[in-house]
Amino acid sequence: MIALQLWLKSQRQAKKLTMRSLAERMARPHSFIQRVEQGERRLDAVEYVWYCTALGISPHVGIDIIMQNMSSPSPKM
């Protein structure tokens, strides 16, 4: 999760967006962005896609980052 948080934050900064400006794009309070970037809040799948769309980035890249950073086997269902 940390790798994904860092990637999302770096993408926001690369686009020269503040937390407030990204939050406005998403119609969310800026504290939403802050909590996501600090790891206090996780995004569900739909929120993640909305977040990436607001940043103008591909959600597939973030999924690849997650897959590359997995250190334990997936939980059994």
Side-chain angles (χ1 to χ4, degrees):
M1 189 62 197
I2 293 170
L4 185 64
Q5 293 163 355
L6 292 173
W7 177 70
L8 289 171
K9 182 177 180 177
S10 71
Q11 292 300 301
R12 176 184 61 77
Q13 292 171 334
K15 304 274 184 179
K16 300 193 185 319
L17 295 171
T18 64
M19 286 186 210
R20 283 192 194 278
S21 60
L22 179 57
E24 287 173 8
R25 288 182 178 196
M26 297 180 69
R28 299 281 187 154
H30 79 279
S31 59
F32 174 84
I33 305 302
Q34 181 180 17
R35 287 193 305 267
V36 169
E37 288 187 1
Q38 292 179 348
E40 296 173 11
R41 186 184 194 293
R42 289 186 175 206
L43 298 170
D44 67 27
V46 174
E47 289 173 327
Y48 170 70
V49 172
W50 286 340
Y51 204 106
C52 289
T53 300
L55 283 171
I57 58 177
S58 171
H60 298 285
V61 176
I63 299 298
D64 289 341
I65 289 169
I66 293 169
M67 297 303 293
Q68 291 169 5
N69 286 282
M70 289 182 63
S71 58
S72 61
S74 60
K76 294 182 180 179
M77 300 206 172

